[in-house]
Amino acid sequence: MKNNNEVWFVTGAQLLYGGDAVTAVDAHSHEIIRGLNEAGTLPVKIVYKGTANSAAEVSALFAEAGTSPACIGVITWMHTFSPAKMWIHGLKSFNKPLLHLHTQFNKGIPWEDIDMDFMNLNQSAHGDREFGHITSRLRKPRKVVTGYWQDKSTQERIAVWMRVAAAWADAQNMRIIRFGDNMNNVAVTDGDKVEAEIRLGYHVDNAPIASLVPWVEDVTEAEIDELIGEYEKLYDFADDCKPGAPKHSFVRDAAAQEIGLRQFLQNKKATAFTTSFDELAGMKQLMGLASQRLMAEGYGFGAEGDWKTAALVRSLWVMGHDLPGGQSFLEDYTINFDGENSSILQAHMLEISPDITKAKPRIEVHFLGIGDAGTCARLVFQAHGGQGIAATIVDMGNRFRMIAAEVEVIEPQPLPKLPVACALWKPLPNFEIGAAAWILAGGTHHSAFSFPLTMEYMEDYAEIAGIELLPVTKDSTLHRFKFEMKVNELYYMLNKSLQ
Ligand code: MN
């Protein structure tokens, strides 16, 4: 996680019970936050901003949180009762992620000693309901985490929200460079870029591929030598790609593309990009190897101009990059019908992140007969196994819809004649339901994929963004899924203020 991110914590109280009570609330809050920060479970530091005892204090706190570049979200907790009208103005003006923690300083009831002083102090069961009412009344998006603050399960739910809040903050500054437009006539990868900036925060820019060409041409032989040395440490080389072999020059050209592209994106302060096999004038090959390596570094990527997937790949990377497993752009390619084990081969022409394999990738060079792709270097590997999440965002005309599916990545058979990276997954609960739900929802053939992330991350993201989420899970049925889509259709039609 970006280490200068902060999550602010404010404890609701009031002066009704006297200054001693507020002093105790403050001391307990310090102890909770110290405990949370030292638990080692949370990826972002919590900064305690004190107790809030009046509307003026609440408003000042949220105004500061809203403008602080370090603050990526606020956690609220009502140790004691905090009359919620005092939260109205502050909450109304606040646009960053909000988490309402429903916990209690004391784990249990001290049966022998409990008296009315204890009750008046330890009444989050009471105060958190009052706060919940006003956040609901204001239709304020937020995550409610319930549980004892020392429990790992409680902390893990806070950690998920923190990772999503970090990705959300990152998206508000995300610039996506597109080399070329969407592939001609393709519907699902296109959409309203203005609405995306309003709703999701990121900015999409065009760059002619010609503007990248000089950056690649300026790369020196010494820079290429150095990068080839890095490739030799990390990857196997096919025999015809090794130094001195006939296809090695294509690997060197790809290395120049990687260096030039990285410098170009850094210069533009871009953290995501798209390519197109139809937009390659002046380039020696489609940027396969470069895209794979930059994706593993954290750049969002979408093929054929797919800027929405590029943005989502970047966001999933921010959420999950320091967790084990990896993230990548993927595409549904070919089905393997096999009853309950039916699966879909995920690949692309070239561009899959080596972040999702534990094997040593192999550099190969082959001709790619689509568009102007040419003879391209690429990393070839198979993804490791495990549960993951495939997600996409589509433009439904009146709203953005996120579709997120639980999938199980399994071992494919050897693929000796397929010279691209790939993953093989079973949609959950099975192919019949998982693939049908995705198609009924209008999901893309491209997706942003992550091993470590779960549906909870997608729920938190959709909540913060205020967009529709259709989850496809191990418990999905098509009957429920279709019902949910109909209800959502009505919800977004009626609830204009949320669009
Ligand atoms: Mn594609």
Side-chain angles (χ1 to χ4, degrees), residues 303-304 329 331 348 445-446:
E304 293 100 46
F329 169 85
E331 177 175 279
H348 203 260
H445 48 283
H446 290 164

Side-chain angles (χ1 to χ4, degrees), residues 312-473:
L312 196 54
V313 168
R314 166 70 185 181
S315 290
L316 297 198
W317 183 85
V318 174
M319 292 179 207
H321 77 277
D322 53 354
L323 301 171
Q327 283 67 227
S328 183
F329 169 85
L330 284 173
E331 177 175 279
D332 295 290
Y333 240 100
T334 301
I335 300 166
N336 188 48
F337 282 113
D338 183 19
E340 273 300 298
N341 286 318
S342 292
S343 55
I344 312 168
L345 188 69
Q346 305 292 315
H348 203 260
M349 286 177 289
L350 306 167
E351 310 92 338
I352 310 293
S353 171
D355 207 15
I356 60 169
T357 187
K358 288 175 184 154
K360 193 175 189 186
R362 188 174 62 256
I363 290 189
E364 297 188 21
V365 169
H366 301 277
F367 179 72
L368 180 58
I370 186 164
D372 304 317
T375 300
C376 312
R378 77 284 307 268
L379 293 170
V380 180
F381 57 86
Q382 293 177 358
H384 63 81
Q387 297 268 326
I389 283 274
T392 186
I393 292 178
V394 294
D395 186 343
M396 296 301 287
N398 66 342
R399 66 187 185 276
F400 289 110
R401 163 182 284 173
M402 175 182 252
I403 305 147
E406 294 174 350
V407 298
E408 186 186 346
V409 179
I410 55 175
E411 286 260 315
Q413 303 281 326
L415 300 154
K417 292 188 176 173
L418 190 70
V420 290
C422 63
L424 183 71
W425 75 42
K426 289 197 294 185
L428 295 182
N430 53 41
F431 178 86
E432 184 187 334
I433 295 172
W438 189 277
I439 288 168
L440 283 166
T444 35
H445 48 283
H446 290 164
S447 64
F449 170 78
S450 168
F451 273 111
L453 304 182
T454 60
M455 197 59 77
E456 188 180 349
Y457 288 82
M458 305 302 118
E459 284 175 17
D460 287 358
Y461 177 87
E463 177 76 17
I464 291 167
I467 63 170
E468 179 185 10
L469 172 67
L470 286 172
V472 188
T473 73

Side-chain angles (χ1 to χ4, degrees), residues 225-301:
D225 288 342
E226 195 185 337
L227 189 53
I228 294 285
E230 189 179 327
Y231 292 173
E232 285 178 322
K233 274 189 215 134
L234 294 171
Y235 315 123
D236 292 328
F237 279 59
D239 284 343
D240 59 359
C241 299
K242 289 178 177 165
K247 289 182 174 173
H248 185 66
S249 65
F250 294 99
V251 182
R252 292 186 68 84
D253 291 341
Q257 286 183 332
E258 177 186 327
I259 296 164
L261 176 59
R262 184 183 291 107
Q263 287 172 347
F264 182 92
L265 294 173
Q266 283 169 351
N267 180 259
K268 302 279 181 197
K269 296 188 169 31
T271 49
F273 66 103
T274 73
T275 58
S276 167
F277 56 78
D278 273 334
E279 176 85 9
L280 287 168
M283 298 296 274
K284 291 180 176 165
Q285 55 183 277
L286 179 61
M287 295 186 286
L289 181 57
S291 300
Q292 292 181 289
R293 296 217 352 123
L294 287 179
M295 229 188 302
E297 269 172 39
Y299 285 92
F301 172 79

Side-chain angles (χ1 to χ4, degrees), residues 41-100:
T41 317
L42 303 184
V44 178
K45 188 175 127 196
I46 300 180
V47 176
Y48 180 46
K49 302 304 278 191
T51 60
N53 299 290
S54 67
E57 286 176 22
V58 167
S59 295
L61 180 277
F62 278 113
E64 196 190 342
T67 53
S68 160
C71 174
I72 61 167
V74 168
I75 298 176
T76 57
W77 170 56
M78 308 301 122
H79 186 345
T80 181
F81 195 70
S82 177
K85 286 182 189 172
M86 77 182 209
W87 292 86
I88 291 173
H89 296 284
L91 283 174
K92 262 175 76 182
S93 67
F94 186 59
N95 288 319
K96 289 182 178 176
L98 179 68
L99 184 146
H100 178 195

Side-chain angles (χ1 to χ4, degrees), residues 71-274:
C71 174
I72 61 167
V74 168
I75 298 176
T76 57
W77 170 56
M78 308 301 122
H79 186 345
T80 181
F81 195 70
S82 177
K85 286 182 189 172
M86 77 182 209
W87 292 86
I88 291 173
H89 296 284
L91 283 174
K92 262 175 76 182
S93 67
F94 186 59
N95 288 319
K96 289 182 178 176
L98 179 68
L99 184 146
H100 178 195
L101 177 61
H102 178 49
T103 192
Q104 182 169 277
F105 178 68
N106 259 61
K107 185 169 186 179
I109 294 174
W111 302 104
E112 296 290 323
D113 301 324
I114 186 167
D115 57 12
M116 282 316 292
D117 284 346
F118 183 94
M119 294 267 276
N120 284 335
L121 187 61
N122 291 280
Q123 55 174 318
S124 44
H126 183 65
D128 276 329
R129 280 169 170 73
E130 168 74 355
F131 181 81
H133 171 73
I134 208 66
T135 31
S136 290
R137 171 74 190 265
L138 291 167
R139 274 72 172 172
K140 203 75 193 162
R142 85 280 199 191
K143 182 174 193 174
V144 177
V145 172
T146 57
Y148 189 53
W149 57 277
Q150 289 184 347
D151 288 350
K152 197 148 190 263
S153 60
T154 307
Q155 295 171 2
E156 280 171 349
R157 297 198 62 210
I158 299 171
V160 167
W161 172 84
M162 283 178 161
R163 288 176 183 282
V164 177
W168 182 253
D170 177 79
Q172 306 316 299
N173 293 311
M174 194 194 299
R175 185 178 186 193
I176 302 162
I177 295 288
R178 302 171 76 220
F179 299 107
D181 205 338
N182 291 75
M183 185 176 163
N184 280 343
N185 268 322
V186 175
V188 74
T189 58
D190 216 334
D192 185 338
K193 297 195 281 291
V194 177
E195 191 61 23
E197 188 155 351
I198 294 169
R199 175 58 62 191
L200 301 165
Y202 50 73
H203 177 72
V204 186
D205 265 340
N206 173 55
I209 197 83
S211 63
L212 173 62
V213 171
W215 291 78
V216 176
E217 287 177 347
D218 283 352
V219 175
T220 65
E221 293 299 313
E223 288 173 305
I224 295 173
D225 288 342
E226 195 185 337
L227 189 53
I228 294 285
E230 189 179 327
Y231 292 173
E232 285 178 322
K233 274 189 215 134
L234 294 171
Y235 315 123
D236 292 328
F237 279 59
D239 284 343
D240 59 359
C241 299
K242 289 178 177 165
K247 289 182 174 173
H248 185 66
S249 65
F250 294 99
V251 182
R252 292 186 68 84
D253 291 341
Q257 286 183 332
E258 177 186 327
I259 296 164
L261 176 59
R262 184 183 291 107
Q263 287 172 347
F264 182 92
L265 294 173
Q266 283 169 351
N267 180 259
K268 302 279 181 197
K269 296 188 169 31
T271 49
F273 66 103
T274 73

